[in-house]
Structure formats: structure tokens, C-alpha cells
Amino acid sequence: MSVQCLFPESKKDIPLHQLYLGLNLHRQAMTGDVLIYSNYIASLDGRIALRHEQTGEFSVPDSIANKRDWRLYQELAAQADVMITSARYFRQLDKGCAQDLLPVGQEPDYADLAVWREEQGLKSQTDVVIVSASLDIPLYAVQSLTNRRVWVLTVQGADATRRNLLEDSGITVVQAGTGQVQGKALKDFLIEHGYRSAYMIAGPAIHHTLLAAGVLNRLFLTTHLSLLGHHEFHTILQGDMPASKVELNALYLDHSGEQIFGQYDIKGREI
Ligand SMILES: NC(=O)c1ccc[n+]([C@@H]2O[C@H](COP(=O)([O-])OP(=O)(O)OC[C@H]3O[C@@H](n4cnc5c(N)ncnc54)[C@H](OP(=O)(O)O)[C@@H]3O)[C@@H](O)[C@H]2O)c1
């Protein structure tokens, strides 16, 4: 279960377990700030999701999803105070077209992460921020999130009936933009509520919201060594924005031979 560090160059193999846990992402933000990070697995041709012909839904292809990458996903979740996701994720979950991404350390293989969170003084599960303009969020799917604070960040003039239904279920709905939730407003919200580490697990639209506002700090990107093609797909980012400079922090070749784990710092608009 090891990886080879390609950058910075090293001859020693490193265990996959704790590769990301050692980053202590929950302790990296300056006082009064929050560290926001994202994570994707993509094929070599950049696909993070393909449209399923039968269901019509986009999902991570089975041919690239794998347990070794999932271990790292869990390690990133373990270091988060809060996870940021999309309303579309809950709509897909409700239809049975998405994997439950939110619990940390629930399966036996990740039980060490639940213990680690406790040792670090973190809550057993992360809080959750859902970003949505439509407020089309199936209550049943959200109600599965027990023992944690759930927030919905939405826009000015969002549907009042849907808002009331969510609030009646104990979810706090907060306005954070006009037309679209703004990345800067999202970051300010996180800081205001004392969050120090936020793990963004949604797709290209919310990634764009954060990157265009210059509030994303780190990107973790697993490149699966396969080519998927396909006409209808998502990549890690969509939408217009100024080019953003990114710096390579670390690069690991997985000894399974099937993927490369990359860590990048987002430097912002320097191009
Ligand atoms: N391979 C990977 O590692 C990976 C990781 C993450 C996701 N994915 C895949 O990527 C696909 C898309 O993911 P996704 O739908 O979760 O993500 P997304 O494209 O980031 O989010 C789409 C939804 O989020 C809301 N939204 C996004 N930005 C907003 C803003 N600025 N203001 C208000 N609402 C905003 C909208 O909800 P409303 O429509 O409710 O307004 C929108 O429909 C999925 O198939 C997923 O499986 C793959």
C-alpha cells in the first residue's frame, strides 16, 4: 500500500495510509481565516463524470473510482470542519444515482479516521454547507445528515416555499449572493461561523464559484491513467474566469500503477 514521491523527488516509498492525513489541513489557516480545498479524480483526458445512458445522470465512472483514491478522499474529509456540496448532489442521492459521500470514517476500513478526529478535537462528523440557487433539495436526502449542522447558502429572492420547508426541517438557509452564490460571501460565511478547514466536494460549477472569487487554497487531483472519451462529461471546472496560476506541491505515483496523486496550491490571478 505505498506510493512513490515524484516531486519533490525522493527515492523512498511512502505508505498510502496517512499520505494526506499528515497535512493537518485543519491547522493551516491563519487566525481569522479558513483553508478551502477541493479534490477530484479525473481520467487522463480530464473526465470527472460521464452521463449515464440509462439514468441520464452524470456520475464518476466506475472505471476510474477506486478504493485507494477513496482512502485519500476520506483522509481529506477527516481534516475538515465542514464539507461544501451542491444541491444537485442531494437530487442525485435521492434518485439513488450518487454514492453517500458525506460520512467520515463510517466503514471499518476508515474507522482510524473517526478515532483521529476525536484525538484532534474535531466533531465526529463535519458540518455541511449546500450551495443552491433553486433550493430544489430533496428533504429526505438531507434528513439523512444527523448530528451535524446543515446550512444552505442561496441567493436573494430564492423560492420562499422551498426555503420554509427546509427551515421547518431545522436547516438554516442563508442568502449569499444575487443570481448566484458568491465565492467571497461563502468564504466570509465560513469564517463568521468559526470554520477553519472546508472541503469542497462538488463539481465544476461550485469549483468555478470558488476559483473565480480567488478563495480556493488547494486542489488535490488524482489523475487516473485511463482515457475515457465520451460526448457528455464534466471536467473539474466550467465557466468563464480569469486564468489562475497553480503551483505543484507534491506528486505521487501510486504503486498500483493506475494513478498519480497531485497536490497543488492555487496562487490566483497572476497570469
Ligand atoms: N470525479 C470526481 O472527483 C468528482 C468530484 C465531484 C463531483 N463529481 C461529479 O461532477 C458532477 C457534477 O457535480 P455537482 O452537480 O455536485 O456539482 P456542481 O456542478 O458544482 O453543482 C451544480 C449545482 O450546484 C448549485 N450551484 C453551483 N454553483 C452555484 C452558485 N454559485 N450559486 C448557487 N448555486 C450553485 C446549483 O444548484 P441548483 O440547481 O439547486 O441551483 C447547480 O445545479 C456529478 O456527476 C458528480 O458526480 C465528480
Side-chain angles (χ1 to χ4, degrees):
M1 283 286 267
S2 61
V3 300
Q4 182 188 347
C5 188
L6 304 176
F7 180 85
E9 199 182 338
S10 161
K11 297 268 180 282
K12 276 203 298 190
D13 283 353
I14 306 168
L16 179 79
H17 275 231
Q18 308 214 345
L19 185 68
Y20 284 180
L21 205 59
L23 295 171
N24 282 320
L25 298 171
H26 58 310
R27 302 241 167 94
Q28 297 302 320
M30 308 278 272
T31 307
D33 205 351
V34 58
L35 183 90
I36 309 179
Y37 53 99
S38 60
N39 173 41
Y40 292 94
I41 181 166
S43 62
L44 197 57
D45 51 345
R47 277 71 170 142
I48 64 161
L50 299 181
R51 189 162 182 272
H52 196 277
E53 277 176 21
Q54 272 84 49
T55 64
E57 297 289 334
F58 284 87
S59 59
V60 181
D62 289 343
S63 54
I64 64 170
N66 67 88
K67 276 195 84 171
R68 292 169 66 81
D69 177 67
W70 186 245
R71 168 75 202 184
L72 297 183
Y73 174 98
Q74 286 280 328
E75 291 195 2
L76 293 175
Q79 296 168 74
D81 286 332
V82 61
M83 288 163 87
I84 303 168
T85 187
S86 72
R88 192 159 61 189
Y89 162 70
F90 286 97
R91 298 198 283 270
Q92 289 191 334
L93 195 64
D94 197 48
K95 289 184 197 162
C97 298
Q99 183 181 4
D100 192 353
L101 299 172
L102 290 164
V104 182
Q106 295 290 87
E107 297 151 286
D109 281 354
Y110 313 112
D112 61 306
L113 299 177
V115 174
W116 184 87
R117 276 183 75 84
E118 199 180 341
E119 287 167 358
Q120 298 293 317
L122 296 167
K123 293 200 283 186
S124 61
Q125 293 295 330
T126 70
D127 287 352
V128 176
V129 166
I130 305 167
V131 179
S132 174
S134 72
L135 293 186
D136 177 9
I137 304 172
L139 283 181
Y140 179 75
V142 186
Q143 281 161 350
S144 64
L145 300 171
T146 50
N147 300 325
R148 46 169 89 186
R149 190 88 200 248
V150 180
W151 309 89
V152 172
L153 262 57
T154 192
V155 296
Q156 191 178 13
D159 187 298
T161 309
R162 287 177 173 166
R163 181 177 185 137
N164 290 341
L165 277 172
L166 288 163
E167 288 180 337
D168 289 348
S169 311
I171 295 162
T172 311
V173 182
V174 177
Q175 186 192 307
T178 310
Q180 290 281 284
V181 168
Q182 300 301 310
K184 170 78 168 61
L186 173 49
K187 179 173 174 165
D188 289 346
F189 166 86
L190 296 172
I191 292 171
E192 187 189 329
H193 291 87
Y195 295 118
R196 308 274 296 143
S197 54
Y199 181 19
M200 201 292 281
I201 58 162
I206 298 183
H207 212 204
H208 174 263
T209 299
L210 299 178
L211 282 161
V215 300
L216 190 81
N217 300 105
R218 287 203 198 177
L219 164 64
F220 294 84
L221 179 61
T222 298
T223 303
H224 192 273
L225 301 179
S226 54
L227 294 162
L228 297 180
H230 214 277
H231 288 294
E232 294 177 282
F233 55 85
H234 286 301
T235 68
I236 67 168
L237 182 60
Q238 71 179 38
D240 295 337
M241 61 170 227
S244 190
K245 198 167 163 47
V246 171
E247 193 171 277
L248 179 65
N249 235 334
L251 198 64
Y252 302 95
L253 174 64
D254 187 5
H255 272 178
S256 69
E258 67 174 9
Q259 56 203 345
I260 293 166
F261 304 119
Q263 295 175 27
Y264 306 87
D265 281 338
I266 310 295
K267 305 308 269 185
R269 296 173 194 168
E270 292 175 17
I271 296 171

